[in-house]
Amino acid sequence: MAGRTVRVQGFPAELPPDRAADKLTIHFLRSRNGGGDIANVRVLPGSLPCALITFEAPEVAQRILKVKNHVLAIGKTQYPLEVTPHAAELSPNEVLRGR
């Protein structure tokens, strides 16, 4: 899955995980957002929830990362999303930062 997965943060914590997954899927499928076919969406709930979105092709993930402003609209509210690459393995620096 390396190179095909992005990490997404910024959607509301009160959104149920299945609804968050649906909203994120719709957003990241759209070509106007740089999106494409999605293999998997995994929402990790918590006070600062995040989602791991794996695309069918690594070039889609790269396009998503190049888009500067992803905004998820839910009703009349817009949520700016933070989209970053997801590393399957943590580097030693990331492990140490968690301490």
Side-chain angles (χ1 to χ4, degrees):
M1 284 198 262
R4 298 187 305 139
T5 303
V6 298
R7 181 182 182 99
V8 179
Q9 293 178 284
F11 55 94
E14 62 274 7
L15 200 61
D18 59 335
R19 186 149 182 255
D22 290 345
K23 294 288 187 182
L24 292 169
T25 298
I26 291 166
H27 178 84
F28 288 107
L29 274 172
R30 291 188 174 139
S31 59
R32 72 175 183 210
N33 297 326
D37 292 335
I38 295 173
N40 186 41
V41 176
R42 184 171 161 216
V43 176
L44 307 172
S47 58
L48 292 172
C50 74
L52 301 178
I53 301 175
T54 303
F55 295 93
E56 293 287 341
E59 49 275 7
V60 177
Q62 295 310 306
R63 279 197 317 261
I64 289 290
L65 291 167
K66 288 180 183 175
V67 174
K68 295 296 177 204
N69 297 310
H70 285 283
V71 178
L72 182 66
I74 301 176
K76 294 182 180 183
T77 307
Q78 296 193 352
Y79 299 92
L81 300 175
E82 179 185 346
V83 182
T84 56
H86 174 67
E89 296 178 5
L90 294 177
S91 73
N93 291 339
E94 289 174 305
V95 172
L96 292 175
R97 255 187 271 152
R99 289 183 169 188

